[in-house]
Amino acid sequence: MAMLCRLREVPRHLLVCEKSNFGHEKSRHRHLVETHYHNYRVSFLIPECGILSKELKDLVMDSGPYYFVKDLPLHELIAHEFINTFVKKGACYALTYNTNIDEDNTVALLPNGKLILSLDKDTYEETGLQGRPSQYSGRKTMKFSAEGSTMMSYFSNYRIQERQPKIALSTVTDLPCPVLRSGELRGEPEAACSAQELFEWLGAVFSNAELNNEPDNFISTYCCPQPSTVVAKACLCTITGFILPEKIRLLLEQLCRYFDEPKLAPWVTLSVQGFADSPVSWRENEHGFRKGGEHLYNFVVFSNRDYWLQLAVGANDDCPP
């Protein structure tokens, strides 16, 4: 009976939705992209599109590289040479690899030079030059991402690997899409779907779930919210790796420019997922796993430069910023 009760428990999730315009002087879009540091997966969906533009394709192909350094002594992250070479010269991000945030010691390097340590389930925030040596005495496999990086030569005395993000590009045919109105975040009965309905629909699309609600489908009975329209083709692209916020910002800006010329698509989306075992979500906001380690955001970009922004975190986090 106790196990049955635990199975019935539904983890708490938080979803914040807001709308604005990219041209508005108080728009938060750039700040929220740049302060979501540890990005694992980026996906965008363009309805009524069969082939990516050259500009978008070039950005997708230029989304890497990132690096793995095995058995790295943690004191290397507070060494003056490392700070002068990487941290002080631009954006540098690092995160321990193959660690569970609620069970293992986890370390994250932020671009402002701060180290976030999750030790014995407590989070410590330190400035790179002021860490206590005893906290950095172990070794971890670290993954790094940095602009204009010279990681391979700097860590040549360690086992370092350069990796490129995995890119999956596909064309989805006859895709049922929700009807949206940029000014109706909550939707409108029989006229437009809400932001939350769109968020759920995107999850199904990115999971390659069937959207026809067939009675004999034992995997998913989900169907597209109403009202909807069927698009002949939609371009779906997913990038998986360790993606810099700067790369994501460029993608978002290019998706905004997608509507500089008339298009059949009324909107496009850009979704970003963070590493589940990162000790932070946005800025230095503490992040945990418990029953779900999600921290993610999604932009819906409309042809008039309006946008919806959806931010979601899991059971162990405070409200998104």
Side-chain angles (χ1 to χ4, degrees), residues 101-106 117-124:
I101 187 69
D102 292 334
E103 300 174 358
D104 305 318
N105 294 346
T106 305
L117 292 87
S118 178
L119 305 173
D120 298 326
K121 301 183 180 180
D122 292 325
T123 299
Y124 299 86

Side-chain angles (χ1 to χ4, degrees), residues 65-285:
Y66 61 103
Y67 307 87
F68 279 84
V69 183
K70 295 184 178 181
D71 298 324
L72 181 70
L74 294 182
H75 64 77
E76 288 278 11
L77 299 177
I78 60 171
H80 287 276
E81 184 181 359
F82 177 82
I83 292 170
N84 291 330
T85 303
F86 296 105
V87 178
K88 290 185 177 180
K89 291 186 177 180
C92 182
Y93 307 78
L95 188 64
T96 44
Y97 172 69
N98 201 25
T99 54
N100 298 321
I101 187 69
D102 292 334
E103 300 174 358
D104 305 318
N105 294 346
T106 305
V107 180
L109 174 66
L110 309 187
N112 57 12
K114 289 184 179 178
L115 282 173
I116 304 294
L117 292 87
S118 178
L119 305 173
D120 298 326
K121 301 183 180 180
D122 292 325
T123 299
Y124 299 86
E125 182 179 309
E126 300 286 351
T127 303
L129 295 175
Q130 297 175 352
R132 295 189 295 275
S134 62
Q135 292 185 346
Y136 305 98
S137 58
R139 290 174 178 258
K140 291 284 186 180
T141 296
M142 302 289 299
K143 46 182 177 274
F144 290 86
S145 189
E147 285 280 9
S149 181
T150 55
M151 289 281 174
M152 292 296 290
S153 59
Y154 184 86
F155 287 122
S156 59
N157 292 330
Y158 297 98
R159 291 185 293 168
I160 182 171
Q161 295 179 349
E162 179 180 295
R163 297 189 182 181
Q164 294 293 334
K166 295 180 180 179
I167 298 170
L169 182 61
S170 62
T171 301
V172 185
T173 58
D174 300 324
L175 178 66
C177 291
V179 173
L180 307 177
R181 290 182 177 177
S182 62
E184 299 291 342
L185 195 65
R186 297 174 182 247
E188 186 178 342
E190 300 182 1
C193 296
S194 68
Q196 184 167 350
E197 288 175 318
L198 173 84
F199 192 76
E200 294 171 351
W201 174 82
L202 276 175
V205 172
F206 293 152
S207 301
N208 296 316
E210 297 289 340
L211 303 177
N212 50 20
N213 193 20
E214 293 291 340
D216 58 348
N217 189 331
F218 298 102
I219 298 177
S220 171
T221 58
Y222 180 81
C223 62
C224 182
Q226 299 299 316
S228 66
T229 183
V230 176
V231 301
K233 292 181 179 180
C235 190
L236 174 61
C237 180
T238 298
I239 309 165
T240 305
F242 194 170
I243 302 111
L244 289 168
E246 288 78 8
K247 302 288 187 181
I248 299 170
R249 178 180 57 79
L250 292 174
L251 268 176
L252 179 61
E253 291 175 355
Q254 189 59 49
L255 287 172
C256 292
R257 289 194 288 270
Y258 180 76
F259 292 108
D260 286 351
E261 297 179 2
K263 296 292 192 302
L264 290 175
W267 47 264
V268 300
T269 68
L270 176 71
S271 302
V272 179
Q273 298 180 35
F275 285 96
D277 290 301
S278 170
V280 294
S281 54
W282 278 271
R283 300 192 299 269
E284 289 94 44
N285 293 351

Side-chain angles (χ1 to χ4, degrees), residues 41-82:
R41 178 172 293 164
V42 179
S43 302
F44 61 86
L45 177 72
I46 307 177
E48 301 291 4
C49 174
I51 301 175
L52 284 185
S53 67
K54 180 181 184 302
E55 293 79 7
L56 268 175
K57 192 170 184 179
D58 287 346
L59 283 176
V60 169
M61 301 308 294
D62 189 36
S63 53
Y66 61 103
Y67 307 87
F68 279 84
V69 183
K70 295 184 178 181
D71 298 324
L72 181 70
L74 294 182
H75 64 77
E76 288 278 11
L77 299 177
I78 60 171
H80 287 276
E81 184 181 359
F82 177 82

Side-chain angles (χ1 to χ4, degrees), residues 9-13 100-103 118 120-123 276-278 286-294 313-318:
E9 291 179 0
V10 179
R12 177 185 68 95
H13 301 275
N100 298 321
I101 187 69
D102 292 334
E103 300 174 358
S118 178
D120 298 326
K121 301 183 180 180
D122 292 325
T123 299
D277 290 301
S278 170
E286 185 175 355
H287 172 68
F289 191 91
R290 299 279 177 89
K291 295 182 179 179
E294 61 269 20
V313 293
N316 201 46
D317 289 31
D318 293 331

